[in-house]
Amino acid sequence: MVGIFSLVTGWPGPSGFGSSSTAEQVTQGIDGTNLTAIITGGASGIGLETSRVLALRGVHVIIGVRNVKAANEAKKTILTEIETARVDVLELDLCSIRSIRAFADNFIALNLHLNILINNAGIMFCPFQLSQDGIEVQFATNHIGHFLLTELLLDKMKNTVKTTGIQGRIVNLSSIAHTHCYKNGIRFDHINAKDGYNDKRAYGQSKLANILHANELSRRLQEEGVNVTVNSVHPGLIMTPLFRHSAVLMNFLKFFSFFLWKNVPQGAATTCYVALHPRLKGVTAKYFVDCNEMTPSSYARDEALARKLWDFSHKLINSVSKP
């Protein structure tokens, strides 16, 4: 297990990497020129660093993002550093089922392979509000949006595996915050209720859902015999735009826990490791911290809860989808 000593010192775990490893270091020497990856929220924070490093390794990167203008600026920044980079931008609002469906259609129309899907985008500690589809916004953006996006793109990834023989990889960005959720894990009967809403627990609930989604999807793919892995990661504590709703609190905490925080290149390392490293071939339904496998909470390992969330997510999407 990756302990507090390893976190503070950066001492490497069994993988040879640790909390101080950067995304470039964990992907050194890996050739991704035959790969195409979609990265949600790939225009800022650790998403941008993930996009940059994958592009550096030759991967064709598709950035799915709500702010297309900002994403195009990020693309220019990457191309300035890496002239041979292949980066494209497609609009994607994970808070909108209509936008998610349009993104999937637009990507499929490009007739590209899909080897890697990184469900990176997210929001954090938001005051209570509902998405345009009427779903609590953190659950909508962090879980439901990625759940639907993954489902819409899964056939494309399966076909890519059949055509290329290259294993597909799906990476869900979760968080250690999945341990701080509501009683019983998910508020299935009150998912969109303002009563009892807590911004921190709602975030933890959505991050728990990311792990449960990865585990249940992995189980289903294994039953089908599909060569696609699904894992979840905790990137670490990084001061990024995610903290815009609680910047004062986070700066206060950072002052007293500076030794636990990572910079952005370190924060993107675990995502890039799980998405690209050959050592992870065939490894699925695992949770990674600092590029090493770690045991998540008991709720996150609850197979019955994962199945219940899977069915609940489908029903929720169907209930709010409009023709």
Side-chain angles (χ1 to χ4, degrees), residues 11-30:
W11 192 265
S15 69
F17 303 113
S19 62
S20 65
S21 301
T22 67
E24 285 198 27
Q25 289 171 342
V26 304
T27 59
Q28 186 65 43
I30 297 175

Side-chain angles (χ1 to χ4, degrees), residues 4-308:
I4 191 72
F5 176 78
S6 297
L7 179 63
V8 174
T9 63
W11 192 265
S15 69
F17 303 113
S19 62
S20 65
S21 301
T22 67
E24 285 198 27
Q25 289 171 342
V26 304
T27 59
Q28 186 65 43
I30 297 175
D31 181 6
T33 53
N34 293 325
L35 305 176
T36 300
I38 291 176
I39 305 173
T40 67
S44 64
I46 61 175
L48 174 55
E49 178 67 359
T50 301
S51 298
R52 184 190 72 83
V53 171
L54 262 61
L56 180 66
R57 303 305 176 214
V59 178
H60 184 177
V61 174
I62 310 296
I63 297 175
V65 69
R66 182 169 52 184
N67 189 336
V68 173
K69 181 178 179 181
N72 281 322
E73 288 301 315
K75 175 182 175 179
K76 288 181 183 177
T77 300
I78 294 173
L79 289 172
T80 298
E81 178 190 343
I82 312 163
E83 294 182 359
T84 58
R86 295 175 294 161
V87 180
D88 289 301
V89 174
L90 289 177
E91 184 175 4
L92 171 63
D93 182 355
L94 287 163
C95 216
S96 164
I97 286 175
R98 187 183 298 275
S99 175
I100 295 164
R101 294 189 186 280
F103 173 89
D105 289 342
N106 290 335
F107 174 76
I108 291 170
L110 295 175
N111 198 31
L112 296 171
H113 287 147
L114 178 58
N115 306 96
I116 302 166
L117 172 61
I118 300 177
N119 291 319
N120 164 83
I123 55 176
M124 184 178 190
F125 300 166
C126 303
F128 178 82
Q129 57 182 304
L130 299 178
S131 72
Q132 58 185 268
D133 298 306
I135 304 171
E136 188 275 308
V137 71
Q138 292 194 84
F139 193 74
T141 304
N142 297 348
H143 168 61
I144 290 294
H146 285 126
F147 180 91
L148 177 59
L149 178 66
T150 302
E151 182 169 90
L152 294 174
L153 295 173
L154 199 54
D155 281 344
K156 167 59 74 172
M157 182 171 280
K158 289 178 181 178
N159 289 334
T160 297
V161 171
K162 289 179 182 178
T163 302
T164 65
I166 300 172
Q167 183 177 74
R169 296 191 185 187
I170 299 171
V171 183
N172 282 0
L173 262 76
S174 180
S175 169
I176 197 71
H178 80 274
T179 60
H180 184 68
C181 55
Y182 292 111
K183 183 180 180 181
N184 300 322
I186 310 287
R187 295 206 310 172
F188 290 110
D189 296 330
H190 306 282
I191 203 71
N192 300 322
K194 187 173 183 179
D195 291 344
Y197 177 82
N198 177 283
D199 58 350
K200 310 299 187 296
R201 292 191 184 277
Y203 178 70
Q205 171 182 251
S206 70
K207 296 289 98 180
L208 170 62
N210 293 149
I211 301 177
L212 292 171
H213 170 220
N215 292 349
E216 178 61 11
L217 177 56
S218 176
R219 184 188 69 79
R220 289 168 179 260
L221 291 171
Q222 285 181 295
E223 281 189 352
E224 290 182 44
V226 176
N227 191 20
V228 173
T229 63
V230 196
N231 293 293
S232 48
V233 305
H234 166 55
L237 291 171
I238 311 105
M239 188 61 74
T240 74
L242 264 184
F243 289 108
R244 59 184 172 274
H245 293 290
S246 53
V248 174
L249 172 63
M250 289 302 109
N251 278 309
F252 176 79
L253 291 176
K254 188 174 182 180
F255 179 80
F256 289 102
S257 59
F258 64 92
F259 51 86
L260 297 178
W261 291 72
K262 297 181 178 183
N263 58 38
V264 170
Q266 292 168 340
T270 305
T271 303
C272 290
Y273 174 73
V274 176
L276 274 188
H277 206 286
R279 187 180 295 134
L280 273 294
K281 184 177 181 180
V283 176
T284 191
K286 302 299 182 183
Y287 172 66
F288 290 86
V289 179
D290 298 334
C291 300
N292 290 277
E293 186 181 332
M294 189 174 182
T295 303
S297 71
S298 57
Y299 282 142
R301 305 192 307 273
D302 189 328
E303 294 181 4
L305 186 61
R307 291 186 179 95
K308 184 175 181 179

